[in-house]
């Protein structure tokens, strides 16, 4: 992955700007590993219907309802 992809990913996880939505739509992930306090975690759970399926220390595994 190049520097632009990494920047977009980090911006998406931190929910900086609006690019996180286009990155999610582009990637169509079937899971996400995030820190438990990542802003994107709450958006995925509250607005997109994702659920935490595993917790390990400071990290959570989220999966979409249709996954």
């Amino acid at each position: 992955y190049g520097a632009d992809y990494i920047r977009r990913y980090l911006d998406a996880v931190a929910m900086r700007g609006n690019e996180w939505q286009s990155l999610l739509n582009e990637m169509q992930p079937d899971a996400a590993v995030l820190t438990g306090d990542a802003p994107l975690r709450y958006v995925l759970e509250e607005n997109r219907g994702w659920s935490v399926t595993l917790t390990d220390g400071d990290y959570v595994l989220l999966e979409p309802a249709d996954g």
Side-chain angles (χ1 to χ4, degrees), residues 18-35:
N18 292 323
E19 194 167 329
W20 65 270
Q21 292 176 331
S22 63
L23 183 62
L24 278 178
N25 291 335
E26 178 183 316
M27 295 184 68
Q28 294 294 308
D30 56 8
V33 175
L34 301 168
T35 58

Side-chain angles (χ1 to χ4, degrees), residues 44-67:
L44 291 176
E45 285 184 294
E46 298 297 321
N47 297 341
R48 299 236 176 164
W50 289 45
S51 298
V52 173
T53 58
L54 181 68
T55 302
D56 186 9
D58 293 335
Y59 294 88
V60 295
L61 173 66
L62 295 109
E63 295 180 291
D66 60 0

